Amino acid sequence: MNRRHIISVLVENHFGVLARISSLIAGRGFNIDSLTVGETEDPTVSRMTIVTRGDEQIIEQITKQLNRLIDVIKVTDMTECAHVERELVLIKVAAPTAQTRTEVVQVVDVFRARVVDMSTATLTIEITGDSEKVDAFIEMIEPFGIKEMARTGSVAMGRERNGRASRGAETRVA
Amino acid sequence: MADSGTVKTADNRAFWRRDMEGKECTGAEILVECIIREGVDLMFGYPGGVVLKVFDELYARRDQIRVVLPRHEQAGVHAADGWAKVTGKVGTVFVTSGPGVTNAVTGIATAQMDSVPLVVFTGQVSRDLIGSDAFQETDAIGVTRPIVKHSYMIERPQDIARIVRQAYYIASTGRPGVVLVDVPKNVTFEKAVFEWPETVSIRSYKPTTEGHPKSIQRLADAIAESKRPYLYVGGGVVMANASDHLLELVNKTNIPVTTTLMALGAFPGTHPLFAGMPGMHGSKLANICFQECDLVIAVGARFDDRVTGKLSAFAPKAKIAHVDIDPSSIKKTVKVDYPVVGDAHWVLRELNKVVKPRQPNEWNRMFAEMKETHWFRYRPSTEVMRPQYVIEKIYEMTKGDAIISTEVGQIQMWAAQFYKFDKPRRWLTSGGLGTMGYGFPAAIGAQFAAPDAMVIDIAGDGSIQMNIQELTTVVENRLPVKVVILNNGYLGMVRQWQEFFYDRHYSSSVIGGLPDFAKVADAFGAKGLTARTHDDVVPVLEEGLAHPGPVFMDFHINPEENVFPMVPAGKALDEMQEEEWA
Ligand SMILES: Cc1ncc(C[n+]2csc(CCOP(=O)(O)OP(=O)(O)O)c2C)c(N)n1
Ligand SMILES: [Mg+2]
């Protein structure tokens, strides 16, 4: 069954690692929705979050191939555990009249998004949320005419309850 | 390990320059000292502008480390590959930037595909010129990224020791492979205090060698339940030096064995339970066993498409067990019922402790019967020179005791089919990449590794021309490498496919303008011999193999020979074509 998976990859924070990962993904023909990179609480470690789709076998290959890279410290399939997911999107939407502006702002309010910039013809909106919320928002805003859009791609983190982390499927195979 | 063929070199601590420790030294000094401390006493190197400082240091250390000059960087890497396969140690190569790197690429890809441990040092332009399209600048790391296990760029001289240690460690552990180390020119001149890290630890790299006891027990239980078990052995068994444990397992359980092209010699070729090589040009016996068995036990093999044929029809009645050091190799193409991640040596040793002895049964009787009729065979002839006959004679004359390397083409298959290997690390062939031009330089590496061994390259008239310049290297270094050219006037393997699938349109597969190979050898200062008829075969081999120096033997074989059996690409293993038997 083709499911959406959020794969979190902890890697050594040095030169060339991103190139290695993206070249592996391209070379093996894996499809990905998004890939983000950033530093973690430990400056020597970066976290990459890869959103991809595939059946069990494909996801298993992706995680195994990632684990095979020397610079990869840990691969976790977040989809296997309780987690929070967030993506930030900036959308510039056409709003040439007072009427459309009001309508857009209504949608913005319902989704708890924010207007961060405006001009006589456009509004720029910032929204954060998981992919479902973001997709639903985009669907609502689309009819007004999206002029530009920039998505960060998702990041995710396991939930914690009473000081105990909910663990994802760590795929360092034994 | 009792596995033979491994050359032991003395501990070279006497060569260490202890006086360097704690002192400021140039990058070049540190680099060469580190390579020596890794136990390297021989490397293949081709100089150029940006690596002159390193070659100057190699000159200073010439009594401790020998540098062999190939005549092309590709050949240098293949030679290190052959050396590594025979010794079981990490091969070392040093090339210059730009064209040095790009020439080495084919050798790197070849070694990496066959999991051969190599460290390849590449020169690089100075740090401040990187990215400026400077003279002889190539992004070595970028060019080789998909074809190496790992790569490093040395940014500062104080990083050299750590990187060199990690490079050799990564190349030789887990699933072995190629590590590339890019060395900018300025780093070889700059100075740093030399400190030798006694141990290597990489937090993100901890290869699993010990198979999980539970998964090993499950495998033992599966074997106990199976009526028709079948061992499918790959190159991983050779690399892990696990042949003795494999033989013990078979002696205990009487399970028939097939070894892939890469694994010839991992199990004795003369053993009654040996099924031959499987796959496209494998024995009918080996392929039928896949289709009839109820349990495939793959060890260090990777279910390559040339082995499995049409996947959906592969081993239809069998459960699959897969032992491999590389987790990503398991379930890559086939569903696996009993996965075991671990080193073949470790897993087989542990398996032998828990597996129940198994008596020969109906399956063994069937196997013995089929071995009579389903083995490699050809119609003998005295009218024409058959290549299979030449290989058989080489086998007889060398008593199966030679190191055989091959080029790629029909010749590679004939060599694999008709030479029987009883010991591992005696068979050097490019399996994964199928690189023409591999065999001759690999034979050079092998001869350096085993100076007293009979080393023979089985070559085609096409392939030999891809690294024929190495004649200079064998003559210069007095290497008694023997090259057997099975000369059919064609890129024969291509011609065979064109005959079968492209209406005999021999497009670009006829090799015109062939030289007289014996004279070529002669011009280089080697010996050249030619066999024109069937009756010439034995005398030429006798003279050639007895000659103490390098020899080219040119055998004018029957031109339109085909390799049989053959499972056409995309067909199931039991849909094989065989030689017509008039
Ligand atoms: C570098 C390279 N180029 C092309 C091929 C494709 N190829 C495979 S076998 C072969 C023919 C080899 O001819 P020869 O060495 O004469 O051996 P034969 O098949 O005639 O025995 C070719 C061109 C290859 N394997 N390697
Ligand atoms: Mg030929």
Side-chain angles (χ1 to χ4, degrees):
Chain A
M1 194 186 57
N2 262 20
R3 265 177 55 200
R4 179 172 180 273
H5 289 254
I6 304 177
I7 296 169
S8 170
V9 192
L10 292 178
V11 299
E12 292 290 345
N13 180 15
H14 48 73
F15 165 83
V17 180
L18 177 59
R20 267 189 235 282
I21 296 212
S22 47
S23 124
L24 176 122
I25 288 168
R28 301 260 165 192
F30 298 136
N31 281 318
I32 58 164
D33 291 355
S34 69
L35 188 160
T36 69
V37 207
E39 237 178 62
T40 63
E41 70 285 357
D42 176 350
T44 67
V45 177
S46 302
R47 183 192 294 273
M48 295 199 182
T49 310
I50 299 172
V51 179
T52 181
R53 271 161 219 286
D55 60 24
E56 215 177 295
Q57 203 193 347
I58 292 175
I59 300 300
E60 188 172 337
Q61 262 306 308
I62 294 181
T63 52
K64 280 178 171 175
Q65 292 290 342
L66 286 168
N67 258 320
R68 203 174 168 204
L69 292 177
I70 308 294
D71 287 327
V72 167
I73 301 166
K74 192 167 125 182
V75 181
T76 315
D77 186 349
M78 288 293 192
T79 331
E80 304 293 311
C81 70
H83 65 279
V84 279
E85 173 197 349
R86 287 293 177 271
E87 176 175 18
L88 187 149
V89 188
L90 293 175
I91 302 171
K92 194 179 282 173
V93 60
T97 63
Q99 162 87 29
T100 47
R101 270 201 289 277
T102 318
E103 282 175 27
V104 169
V105 169
Q106 267 173 8
V107 179
V108 165
D109 284 345
V110 170
F111 281 85
R112 299 206 193 133
R114 284 202 303 153
V115 175
V116 291
D117 190 27
M118 73 192 294
S119 72
T120 48
T122 60
L123 288 172
T124 302
I125 303 158
E126 169 198 314
I127 177 165
T128 33
D130 60 21
S131 65
E132 267 175 50
K133 175 180 167 186
V134 167
D135 289 344
F137 178 73
I138 291 170
E139 198 183 312
M140 292 305 294
I141 223 76
E142 211 148 33
F144 296 100
I146 294 177
K147 312 206 89 165
E148 253 185 271
M149 177 160 80
R151 304 180 69 147
T152 58
S154 291
V155 290
M157 199 164 276
R159 281 188 190 277
E160 204 152 318
R161 283 281 172 273
N162 307 323
R164 292 182 57 206
S166 154
R167 294 213 164 239
E170 208 189 294
T171 54
R172 222 173 228 312
V173 184
Chain B
M1 274 310 332
D3 284 346
S4 57
T6 309
V7 177
K8 307 226 166 23
T9 43
D11 181 0
N12 74 350
R13 272 170 198 259
F15 295 164
W16 291 21
R17 275 191 57 193
R18 302 265 183 202
D19 61 303
M20 283 176 59
E21 283 168 22
K23 301 255 166 54
E24 283 241 313
C25 307
T26 66
E29 283 176 299
I30 296 175
L31 187 55
V32 173
E33 175 66 13
C34 289
I35 294 172
I36 289 173
R37 288 192 179 201
E38 287 296 338
V40 179
D41 53 12
L42 178 129
M43 65 188 245
F44 296 87
Y46 209 108
V50 298
V51 294
L52 287 181
K53 183 78 178 159
V54 176
F55 276 76
D56 194 49
E57 183 61 20
L58 286 167
Y59 180 80
R61 306 292 300 268
R62 64 188 178 282
D63 292 339
Q64 288 123 41
I65 184 166
R66 180 166 179 188
V67 183
V68 176
L69 178 76
R71 270 24 178 209
H72 189 293
E73 287 89 347
Q74 178 195 347
V77 184
H78 291 327
D81 174 322
W83 185 91
K85 275 184 180 158
V86 173
T87 58
K89 299 196 292 184
V90 181
T92 305
V93 184
F94 218 118
V95 299
T96 192
S97 66
V101 173
T102 52
N103 270 353
V105 162
T106 302
I108 292 171
T110 303
Q112 172 67 12
M113 277 288 262
D114 288 344
S115 308
V116 180
L118 295 186
V119 175
V120 178
F121 294 92
T122 53
Q124 183 56 279
V125 300
S126 282
R127 197 65 241 223
D128 54 341
L129 290 175
I130 290 178
S132 70
D133 292 332
F135 177 64
Q136 296 195 328
E137 180 191 357
T138 296
D139 174 6
I141 291 190
V143 165
T144 59
R145 191 178 292 119
I147 54 165
V148 296
K149 183 171 176 185
H150 196 51
S151 47
Y152 292 94
M153 151 104 52
I154 303 183
E155 307 206 35
R156 307 174 308 170
Q158 56 266 47
D159 298 335
I160 293 174
R162 175 183 56 83
I163 289 178
V164 171
R165 294 233 72 183
Q166 292 187 355
Y168 279 86
Y169 175 67
I170 291 171
S172 59
T173 50
R175 179 177 181 168
V178 180
V179 179
L180 181 138
V181 181
D182 204 26
V183 188
K185 181 180 168 190
N186 63 300
V187 172
T188 67
F189 285 87
E190 286 164 15
K191 288 190 163 181
V193 174
F194 174 58
E195 275 164 61
W196 177 245
E198 279 301 330
T199 56
V200 191
S201 163
I202 307 168
R203 68 173 161 185
S204 57
Y205 177 71
K206 308 265 181 242
T208 322
T209 52
E210 305 184 359
H212 200 285
K214 270 197 194 130
S215 58
I216 293 173
Q217 185 59 52
R218 273 195 289 273
L219 174 55
D221 295 344
I223 292 173
E225 271 165 39
S226 162
K227 298 260 179 309
R228 302 174 160 211
Y230 187 38
L231 271 158
Y232 158 40
V233 168
V237 171
V238 177
M239 260 165 306
N241 296 315
S243 304
D244 292 354
H245 294 313
L246 174 66
L247 187 59
E248 188 189 330
L249 175 66
V250 175
N251 287 340
K252 225 170 146 179
T253 59
N254 293 294
I255 303 176
V257 184
T258 183
T259 59
T260 65
L261 180 68
M262 296 318 295
L264 293 175
F267 186 75
T270 49
H271 196 288
L273 285 171
F274 182 54
M277 157 180 95
M280 181 174 275
H281 293 299
S283 75
K284 189 170 174 182
L285 174 60
N287 287 342
I288 293 213
C289 285
F290 271 126
Q291 302 310 84
E292 293 300 323
C293 70
D294 65 5
L295 176 68
V296 172
I297 309 152
V299 188
R302 61 190 179 94
F303 296 89
D304 184 282
D305 53 296
R306 288 272 148 128
V307 167
T308 61
K310 187 163 96 189
L311 257 185
S312 58
F314 173 72
K317 304 169 187 165
K319 297 228 168 173
I320 312 268
H322 192 175
V323 179
D324 207 290
I325 189 133
D326 179 3
S328 71
S329 162
I330 296 175
K331 295 191 219 170
K332 188 158 64 186
T333 53
V334 297
K335 288 230 153 57
V336 174
D337 304 286
Y338 308 102
V340 185
V341 177
D343 168 77
H345 187 269
W346 207 93
V347 173
L348 289 179
R349 191 188 64 206
E350 295 306 303
L351 182 63
N352 282 333
K353 291 182 190 161
V354 293
V355 76
K356 289 206 186 76
R358 186 184 153 275
Q359 295 313 313
N361 63 357
E362 181 56 29
W363 172 238
N364 290 76
R365 259 191 303 284
M366 252 176 80
F367 182 87
E369 231 166 71
M370 285 196 294
K371 189 153 179 175
E372 298 293 314
T373 49
H374 292 11
W375 194 250
F376 300 110
R377 56 179 190 170
Y378 68 98
R379 204 170 350 96
S381 162
T382 50
E383 308 290 297
V384 293
M385 192 194 297
R386 301 213 61 185
Q388 301 88 339
Y389 172 75
V390 180
I391 306 283
E392 268 183 358
K393 285 291 153 200
I394 296 173
Y395 173 69
E396 285 169 20
M397 286 182 195
T398 57
K399 303 186 178 67
D401 215 20
I403 294 175
I404 304 285
S405 72
T406 76
E407 306 293 341
V408 171
Q410 294 179 309
I411 41 111
Q412 182 184 29
M413 295 300 128
W414 289 319
Q417 292 177 339
F418 290 93
Y419 199 96
K420 295 191 204 76
F421 295 88
D422 279 338
K423 291 175 195 151
R425 302 195 178 280
R426 299 280 176 98
W427 167 247
L428 319 174
T429 202
S430 167
L433 204 64
T435 307
M436 290 169 68
Y438 169 81
F440 188 23
I444 291 174
Q447 192 78 78
F448 274 113
D452 299 328
M454 170 73 78
V455 179
I456 305 172
D457 173 34
I458 309 285
D461 45 339
S463 302
I464 192 60
Q465 296 187 65
M466 284 211 180
N467 269 318
I468 201 161
Q469 77 286 345
E470 297 308 315
L471 263 167
T472 329
T473 314
V474 290
V475 169
E476 184 197 8
N477 292 285
R478 297 170 211 262
L479 301 174
V481 169
K482 312 288 183 274
V483 178
V484 167
I485 301 170
L486 298 180
N487 186 342
N488 51 11
Y490 289 110
L491 300 173
M493 189 56 101
V494 173
R495 189 207 54 74
Q496 177 171 345
W497 283 57
Q498 289 169 333
E499 176 184 333
F500 288 11
F501 309 117
Y502 293 91
D503 295 326
R504 293 177 185 257
H505 297 159
Y506 293 161
S507 172
S508 297
S509 58
V510 183
I511 318 179
L514 276 179
D516 179 333
F517 286 109
K519 281 192 184 151
V520 171
D522 187 56
F524 275 88
K527 190 177 182 69
L529 296 167
T530 311
R532 293 191 170 77
T533 66
H534 173 85
D535 293 338
D536 291 343
V537 171
V538 170
V540 164
L541 280 175
E542 275 172 353
E543 186 182 351
L545 297 180
H547 182 69
V551 187
F552 265 30
M553 287 167 262
D554 184 10
F555 292 85
H556 294 196
I557 60 166
N558 187 29
E560 300 208 9
E561 281 285 339
N562 288 320
V563 180
F564 289 113
M566 172 171 183
V567 180
K571 289 277 165 62
L573 287 182
D574 41 18
E575 297 177 75
M576 69 187 67
Q577 266 168 274
E578 290 181 272
E579 178 169 329
E580 278 167 37
W581 218 259

